[in-house]
Amino acid sequence: MKKRSASADRICAVAVGHFSEHGYDGSSLSDIAELAGMRKASLYSHFDSKDDLFLAVFADALLEEHSFMQQCFDDEAALQQVPQQAGALYCDRMAQRYGQSPHARFLLRTVYLPPQVLRDHITGAYRALLDQLERHYAASLLQTAPWLAQPRLALYVQAYLGIIDSMQVELIYADGAALQQRHAALWQILSDSLAMAALSHAA
């Protein structure tokens, strides 16, 4: 990736909050330029168009999410003791991150409501992020349950992604209480299934 100037970084830093709050269609390059402390013409010296800026901010958000995901699973590798704990840290930290990180809010609102003109690019890039999450979860689960057969592992991976998807929807559209209830219920079902599988293997 080409190294950006300090001015371009400043534009992206204010644009992520503006896009997150107003969406693609409701955002104005004039407003973003003003927030960045420059004229709109100066903004165009760094980004060719609204699409160009939006995709730059999206790329930043993806990089931050990759880093956050990696940190969660790295931390988990040092703590995990039972299969039921696989992937737990990423879920547990999601709500706090959403509240604190404009990049996280921008990312979720963009992938669930992508601008039509950029839909294919956004969908493809987010699919790659989910593929990475699948690999992280599968590796974490196998760390404590190496006996899992591939078909069963694939089933648990999809169940985990379903929990992530449900939590993300709740973050965007509902309140904290609804998120906690949904998370607790779905995680209990996944944990119970993994515990039963461990008992069956040990028997």
Side-chain angles (χ1 to χ4, degrees):
M1 177 183 290
K2 182 180 178 181
K3 183 174 176 58
R4 290 196 309 237
S5 67
S7 293
D9 283 340
R10 186 169 73 253
I11 293 168
C12 288
V14 299
V16 64
H18 191 76
F19 283 134
S20 177
E21 181 178 354
H22 299 284
Y24 174 87
D25 292 328
S27 292
S28 160
L29 290 185
S30 295
D31 289 344
I32 292 172
E34 183 177 351
L35 289 169
M38 64 178 63
R39 295 179 295 108
K40 185 177 180 180
S42 298
L43 185 151
Y44 277 115
S45 70
H46 299 284
F47 299 97
D48 295 336
S49 64
K50 186 177 181 179
D51 289 0
D52 189 30
L53 175 56
F54 192 89
L55 290 177
V57 173
F58 182 65
D60 288 348
L62 284 174
L63 284 174
E64 288 217 2
E65 189 63 24
H66 272 290
S67 179
F68 170 70
M69 184 190 302
Q70 183 70 57
Q71 187 63 59
C72 288
F73 282 93
D74 284 348
D75 291 347
E76 184 173 281
L79 299 172
Q80 184 181 320
Q81 297 178 348
V82 295
Q84 298 94 298
Q85 293 175 336
L89 280 183
Y90 184 66
C91 290
D92 292 344
R93 295 172 177 176
M94 189 182 299
Q96 183 179 22
R97 172 169 164 75
Y98 186 82
Q100 295 177 345
S101 170
H103 285 94
R105 294 191 295 275
F106 168 80
L107 180 64
L108 289 193
R109 294 174 185 184
T110 297
V111 298
Y112 279 93
L113 293 168
Q116 186 62 40
V117 67
L118 302 175
R119 180 183 296 273
D120 289 345
H121 177 92
I122 289 168
T123 300
Y126 190 62
R127 180 64 256 175
L129 181 74
L130 291 180
D131 288 345
Q132 183 62 51
L133 180 58
E134 287 186 27
R135 290 190 289 271
H136 276 306
Y137 177 70
S140 185
L141 183 54
L142 285 174
Q143 184 179 357
T144 53
W147 38 264
L148 273 175
Q150 183 58 40
R152 197 68 181 176
L153 174 64
L155 186 68
Y156 285 127
V157 167
Q158 292 306 309
Y160 180 74
L161 289 180
I163 292 174
I164 297 298
D165 183 68
S166 177
M167 291 181 66
Q168 290 175 341
V169 170
E170 292 297 322
L171 281 170
I172 297 172
Y173 296 111
D175 58 28
L179 170 67
Q180 291 177 3
Q181 291 173 355
R182 182 72 58 85
H183 179 198
L186 293 175
W187 196 262
Q188 187 66 57
I189 293 171
L190 178 61
S191 296
D192 288 349
S193 179
L194 283 166
M196 291 177 61
L199 287 173
S200 296
H201 172 72

